[in-house]
Amino acid sequence: AQTVTQSQPEMSVQEAETVTLSCTYDTSESNYYLFWYKQPPSRQMILVIRQEAYKQQNATENRFSVNFQKAAKSFSLKISDSQLGDTAMYFCAFSGSNQFYFGTGTSLTVIP
Amino acid sequence: DTGVSQDPRHKITKRGQNVTFRCDPISEHNRLYWYRQTLGQGPEFLTYFQNEAQLEKSRLLSDRFSAERPKGSFSTLEIQRTEQGDSAMYLCASSLAGGQGDYGYTFGSGTRLTVV
């Protein structure tokens, strides 16, 4: 069975600083996708970044980048130059054969 | 097409009543998913459709829950004889899955159910 683990329930970062959110997963599948989703307070969940497991190159989207370590089954999210609007719950997700598996989330607060 | 729409946004119901939620996915998306999310938790898979076929249903889903997607367009999720434990945010998401790979979900804003 697939599992996604986010071991940091809460994190905080000073505005303009860099923060890294951790995620590990477990799967026996060889072809899959990994995602980070952001859920601001009382707002809908949006996709932040996507990584294809067969690509070794780490995905980047502006201030967001990932460190994908396939052998270690690790998929961390780095947010550079943190902004107040980055305050949200962040969910790591794994997509295998049929459905997504979400982690329990990390609540990130950006401090002005 | 402005994204995934869910209706209603909020629903308060008395225990024992039936409720029905609607989801309109992005029209080009062939997959539609229902998730449940409680406070401080990640979304929990309930069921999903590919076109009009319901392909998977969570074992956590009791017989009181049923979902339909007639004609592969919008979907409804019905909860019969609601219980207080059903109080949660019900999220709908759609995706385009196929040969080009998995591009992730587009989520709706959710329906918040409160059972009193």
Side-chain angles (χ1 to χ4, degrees):
Chain A
Q2 280 72 231
T3 59
V4 179
T5 303
Q6 293 180 250
S7 59
Q8 304 153 313
E10 296 181 356
M11 293 192 72
S12 62
V13 62
Q14 289 290 139
E15 193 175 5
E17 296 295 309
T18 295
V19 64
T20 298
L21 309 183
S22 301
C23 173
T24 58
Y25 61 94
D26 188 23
T27 183
S28 58
E29 298 189 33
S30 57
N31 190 24
Y32 52 89
Y33 300 85
L34 296 163
F35 304 83
W36 279 97
Y37 283 85
K38 170 185 176 181
Q39 189 176 38
S42 302
R43 296 183 64 183
Q44 72 189 91
M45 197 172 303
I46 58 174
L47 178 64
V48 174
I49 199 164
R50 166 182 177 265
Q51 175 78 42
E52 299 168 10
Y54 62 87
K55 286 190 175 179
Q56 292 185 338
Q57 186 175 6
N58 289 325
T60 62
E61 287 288 341
N62 300 316
R63 298 182 295 107
F64 298 88
S65 61
V66 300
N67 182 5
F68 173 47
Q69 302 289 329
K70 190 171 184 179
K73 295 181 180 175
S74 171
F75 182 62
S76 60
L77 175 68
K78 185 172 81 171
I79 305 174
S80 304
D81 185 27
S82 297
Q83 301 175 358
L84 296 179
D86 295 334
T87 293
M89 281 288 289
Y90 287 81
F91 293 99
C92 178
F94 167 98
S95 175
S97 51
N98 282 327
Q99 60 171 283
F100 272 43
Y101 297 87
F102 286 87
T104 51
T106 296
S107 177
L108 176 68
T109 301
V110 179
I111 302 167
Chain B
D1 196 346
T2 56
V4 178
S5 299
Q6 290 189 248
D7 183 69
R9 292 292 303 273
H10 303 275
K11 178 71 176 179
I12 299 175
T13 190
K14 290 184 177 180
R15 188 176 56 182
Q17 298 294 306
N18 299 344
V19 293
T20 300
F21 311 140
R22 177 180 170 124
C23 172
D24 288 88
I26 292 175
S27 55
E28 304 85 48
H29 286 181
N30 56 355
R31 287 189 176 178
L32 185 148
Y33 304 79
W34 285 99
Y35 279 80
R36 176 171 62 193
Q37 186 179 25
T38 53
L39 194 63
Q41 297 296 314
E44 176 186 44
F45 171 76
L46 294 179
T47 188
Y48 97 97
F49 294 82
Q50 178 146 325
N51 302 313
E52 67 275 11
Q54 187 173 16
L55 296 187
E56 192 167 343
K57 188 174 176 180
S58 169
R59 285 170 288 179
L60 301 174
L61 210 61
S62 76
D63 292 341
R64 298 185 295 106
F65 288 72
S66 62
E68 295 182 344
R69 192 184 182 196
K71 302 179 182 178
S73 56
F74 71 93
S75 175
T76 58
L77 177 68
E78 181 183 17
I79 308 174
Q80 296 181 328
R81 305 181 302 281
T82 52
E83 302 172 356
Q84 286 188 321
D86 297 332
S87 295
M89 177 75 84
Y90 289 84
L91 297 172
C92 177
S94 68
S95 73
L96 181 63
Q100 295 185 26
D102 195 328
Y103 291 91
Y105 288 1
T106 301
F107 279 89
S109 299
T111 293
R112 181 167 295 285
L113 173 67
T114 302
V115 181
V116 298

